[in-house]
Amino acid sequence: MMRYKFKKGFYSLTCLALAGCVQTTATVMNTPQKQVSRRVVSVPASNYYRFVDKIIKKDSDVIISSWQSVNVDCSTNTYQVLKIRKAPVHGTAYLGDYSTFPQFVELNPRFHCNTVKLPATALHYRPAAGYTGFDLVLVDVGDATGTVSNIAFRIKIVD
C-alpha cells in the first residue's frame, strides 16, 4: 500500500512539474531545396519575477526598458519571446522596434559596436491622462540562447 502511494505521488509531482513546459519544433520551408528547423518555445507563467522600479512624469510616453542582443562581430540576434504578460491598469504599455547605439564598456569585446546603430526592442509606457500613482507591467523576456526571465516593472507616476 505504501509503495502504491509513493508511485502515485511521484507521478503526480512529475506531471505537475512538467505541466507548464511546452516545446515543439516547427519546420519552415523557405526554399524548395532547403528546410530550416526552428525551435518554438511557449514560456510557462511563473510566480518568480525580477522587480524593476521606475519613476516617470505624468502625461509622458517613456521607454522604460529595452532589449538588444549583439554578437562580437556586431551582428544581432532576435529575442525568441518578448511579450507583455499583464498590461498596466492605469496606462498603456506596448513593445516597439527601433535602432540605437549600444553602450558597451571599454573592456567588453563588443565595445567597437558602440559606433553602429543596431536594432532593439523597447517597452514603452504611457500613463492615463492626468494620472499620478502606481502601476505595474509584467513582461516575459526570452533571449536568443533560450534564457527566460520574468520582469515586473513597478512604475510610480509623479507630477
Side-chain angles (χ1 to χ4, degrees):
M1 186 70 171
M2 183 65 143
R3 185 177 198 181
Y4 173 74
K5 286 183 181 179
F6 173 75
K7 273 188 175 179
K8 186 177 178 184
F10 174 77
Y11 289 120
S12 297
L13 287 175
T14 303
C15 290
L16 184 61
L18 297 175
C21 301
V22 177
Q23 181 170 338
T24 59
T25 302
T27 302
V28 180
M29 297 167 64
N30 291 335
T31 59
Q33 62 274 67
K34 186 177 181 182
Q35 290 185 353
V36 179
S37 276
R38 297 185 186 198
R39 190 172 65 160
V40 179
V41 178
S42 176
V43 180
S46 173
N47 292 330
Y48 301 107
Y49 280 87
R50 178 172 57 95
F51 290 99
V52 177
D53 294 320
K54 296 289 183 176
I55 299 173
I56 66 166
K57 289 190 173 235
K58 73 176 184 177
D59 300 325
S60 61
D61 189 345
V62 178
I63 294 175
I64 58 175
S65 190
S66 65
W67 296 271
Q68 188 176 46
S69 177
V70 181
N71 298 319
V72 177
D73 65 350
C74 299
S75 62
T76 59
N77 299 311
T78 56
Y79 280 81
Q80 287 182 336
V81 179
L82 196 54
K83 68 178 180 178
I84 298 172
R85 168 75 59 188
K86 181 177 180 278
V89 176
H90 302 288
T92 308
Y94 61 95
L95 296 167
D97 294 326
Y98 71 105
S99 294
T100 186
F101 293 101
Q103 298 177 357
F104 294 107
V105 296
E106 199 169 340
L107 296 176
N108 190 308
R110 295 169 185 84
F111 178 74
H112 65 280
C113 299
N114 290 352
T115 59
V116 181
K117 247 187 175 180
L118 298 171
T121 302
L123 175 63
H124 293 258
Y125 175 79
R126 182 181 321 126
Y131 177 77
T132 58
F134 293 92
D135 212 347
L136 178 72
V137 180
L138 303 180
V139 179
D140 293 340
V141 180
D143 67 15
T145 64
T147 303
V148 177
S149 60
N150 301 321
I151 306 170
F153 292 96
R154 297 184 293 195
I155 305 166
K156 182 177 182 181
I157 300 102
V158 297
D159 276 328

